[in-house]
């Protein structure tokens, strides 16, 4: 006997199901899910990951995150279990008193207890994370769109124009001694930036007209990525830097070496650099170039990147940057010098590429 129920009630759904079953095994949507998760999870590792645990603060915050995540999963399962129980296992109406009890315990008492425990735990973490620095003090100023760095600054840094006062200047690469609590004094001459090294600690804003303090305590040697975490203008996304964590001895040697004048101060390169006005914005110690608008280039070749974390430091990349900074890094404040003869650009790039 034929089935009396109408078969045309929901035709699109029936058709869809039939289509999917027609696919060969393993060719449907399902295999995409693990790939998607794997791609997402890959973003959790590497030199810019806050899960890598290369600093005391990053480790504490990551622990807090994992505990909260585990707790959230347990509570989610509980809520889903309750909904299934209420709709499937025991769908009959519950008494009003039972409903009120559930709201008081499940909706008020339980969340308050969980939040109180988390708050207490978070507060107990604070004293250790906010301990005074006993290591070096380094001034870091957020510029448009790069980072000015000054080691061994004396007294309080000035904030009128740009932060560092005295000390050994560098840019876009911050060296830190492992195991020491280093104080970073943050400022900016014009717009707000945010200094963030995810693998080591949380972010802190660099605000014009004031000095913000951040203590970094790296626990593992290595090279980590830092970023600007506050929209500051056109090249905000290209305002990165490297953090190099080394032993205390290597740190002292590095600062000492950075304090020296440039390795080469005479020849075609430095002559053209000065003639063509590059020295109005950049300093190369040991030459007449003493500008303070752009990054100090005295030891540019010792840095891993140029353009604030953008390009590997090679002569070719330096030449490309001189020709047209805006092409390499849209929004960069430096004007283009493509009108210079190629031989002059090459001479300048060749010289800068040798300033280790
Ligand atoms: Cu500097 Cu965003």
């Amino acid at each position: 006997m034929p089935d009396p129920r109408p078969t045309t009630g929901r035709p699109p759904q029936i058709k869809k199901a039939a289509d999917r079953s027609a696919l060969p095994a393993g060719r449907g949507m399902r295999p995409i899910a693990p790939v998607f998760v794997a791609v997402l999870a890959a973003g959790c590792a590497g030199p810019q990951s806050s899960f890598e645990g290369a600093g005391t603060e990053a480790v504490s915050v990551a622990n807090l995150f994992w505990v909260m995540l585990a707790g959230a999963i347990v509570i989610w399962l509980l809520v889903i279990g309750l909904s299934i129980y209420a709709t499937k296992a025991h769908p009959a109406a519950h008494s009003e008193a039972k409903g009120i009890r559930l709201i008081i315990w499940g909706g008020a008492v339980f969340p308050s207890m969980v939040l109180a425990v988390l708050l207490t735990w978070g507060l107990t973490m604070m004293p250790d994370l906010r301990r005074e620095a006993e290591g070096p003090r380094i001034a870091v100023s957020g510029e448009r769109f790069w980072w000015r760095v000054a080691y061994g600054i004396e007294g309080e840094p000035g904030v009128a124009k740009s932060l560092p006062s005295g000390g050994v200047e560098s840019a876009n690469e911050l060296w830190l001694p492992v195991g020491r609590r280093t104080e970073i004094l943050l400022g900016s001459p014009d717009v707000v930036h945010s200094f963030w090294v995810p693998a080591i600690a949380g972010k802190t804003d660099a605000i014009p007209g004031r000095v913000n303090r951040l203590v970094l305590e790296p626990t593992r040697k290595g090279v980590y990525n830092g970023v600007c975490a506050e929209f500051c203008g056109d090249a905000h996304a290209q305002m990165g830097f490297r953090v190099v964590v080394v032993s205390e001895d290597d740190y002292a040697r590095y600062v000492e070496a950075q304090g020296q004048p440039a390795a080469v101060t005479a020849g075609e390169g430095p002559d053209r650099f000065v003639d063509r006005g590059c020295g109005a914005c950049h300093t190369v110690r040991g030459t007449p170039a003493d500008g303070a608008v752009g990054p100090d280039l005295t030891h540019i070749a010792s840095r891993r990147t140029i353009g604030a974390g953008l390009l590997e430091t090679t002569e070719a990349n330096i030449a490309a940057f001189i020709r047209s900074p805006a092409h390499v890094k849209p929004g960069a404040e430096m004007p283009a010098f493509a009108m210079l003869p190629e031989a002059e650009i090459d001479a300048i790039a060749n010289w800068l590429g040798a300033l280790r």
Side-chain angles (χ1 to χ4, degrees):
M1 201 181 156
D3 191 344
R5 284 173 295 178
T7 52
T8 52
R10 290 146 76 191
Q13 209 174 350
I14 290 164
K15 191 165 180 291
K16 216 168 162 188
D19 275 358
R20 189 171 296 179
S21 66
L23 281 171
R27 294 277 304 276
M29 289 293 287
R30 267 159 291 167
I32 294 179
V35 173
F36 186 65
V37 170
V39 168
L40 278 185
C44 298
Q48 202 169 308
S49 169
S50 50
F51 296 117
E52 293 285 282
T56 43
E57 191 173 320
V59 170
S60 304
V61 173
N63 287 342
L64 190 62
F65 168 78
W66 288 118
V67 168
M68 285 175 75
L69 182 69
I73 290 172
V74 169
I75 292 171
W76 182 78
L77 288 173
L78 217 90
V79 171
I80 296 298
L82 267 179
S83 350
I84 292 174
Y85 170 77
T87 54
K88 305 278 182 204
H90 197 300
H94 294 267
S95 70
E96 194 183 335
K98 225 172 169 183
I100 289 174
R101 264 208 308 278
L102 181 71
I103 288 172
I104 290 175
W105 286 99
V109 177
F110 180 68
S112 305
M113 277 166 54
V114 170
L115 291 177
V117 169
L118 281 175
L119 176 69
T120 311
W121 186 29
L123 288 176
T124 57
M125 275 181 173
M126 299 280 265
D128 195 41
L129 295 181
R130 295 290 166 261
R131 250 188 315 123
E132 289 284 301
E134 28 59 34
R137 298 167 82 216
I138 304 173
V140 175
S141 172
E143 309 281 327
R144 283 183 298 164
F145 297 92
W146 55 280
W147 299 92
R148 189 188 298 275
V149 177
Y151 299 91
I153 49 164
E154 300 291 331
E156 283 300 295
V159 292
K161 186 176 172 292
S162 196
L163 186 105
S165 58
V168 174
E169 260 204 47
S170 181
N172 301 325
E173 195 166 291
L174 180 65
W175 282 50
L176 298 173
V178 70
R180 298 294 302 276
R181 291 183 69 76
T182 301
E183 188 173 39
I184 309 294
L185 304 167
L186 286 162
S188 164
D190 38 35
V191 297
V192 179
H193 306 268
S194 187
F195 173 96
W196 191 23
V197 192
I200 297 178
K203 61 188 84 158
T204 301
D205 282 358
I207 300 171
R210 60 165 291 143
V211 178
N212 274 350
R213 283 150 208 278
L214 167 71
V215 177
L216 296 180
E217 187 180 349
T219 50
R220 196 149 45 80
K221 291 183 198 172
V223 181
Y224 306 97
N225 287 357
V227 294
C228 178
E230 173 83 38
F231 181 73
C232 51
D234 292 352
H236 155 70
Q238 279 92 37
M239 191 173 162
F241 56 103
R242 295 285 184 273
V243 173
V244 185
V245 179
V246 293
S247 70
E248 259 188 88
D249 288 348
D250 286 348
Y251 173 80
R253 266 194 291 276
Y254 172 79
V255 175
E256 162 79 26
Q258 292 288 308
Q260 302 302 314
V264 185
T265 54
E268 171 78 1
D271 288 352
R272 295 294 81 77
F273 189 84
V274 173
D275 290 353
R276 296 305 190 176
C278 309
C281 291
H282 296 283
T283 289
V284 177
R285 277 171 272 131
T287 76
D290 61 355
V293 177
D296 185 303
L297 302 180
T298 307
H299 298 285
I300 179 178
S302 72
R303 301 176 203 150
R304 284 160 176 72
T305 65
I306 60 163
L310 199 55
L311 297 176
E312 200 188 324
T313 309
T314 64
E315 266 181 55
N317 285 342
I318 294 174
F321 204 93
I322 295 171
R323 255 179 237 117
S324 180
H327 184 79
V328 180
K329 177 171 173 166
E333 300 269 290
M334 179 174 148
F337 283 86
M339 70 297 212
L340 295 185
E342 277 298 300
E344 289 195 17
I345 293 177
D346 287 345
I348 294 171
N350 177 269
W351 170 57
L352 291 175
L355 300 183
R356 294 201 62 81

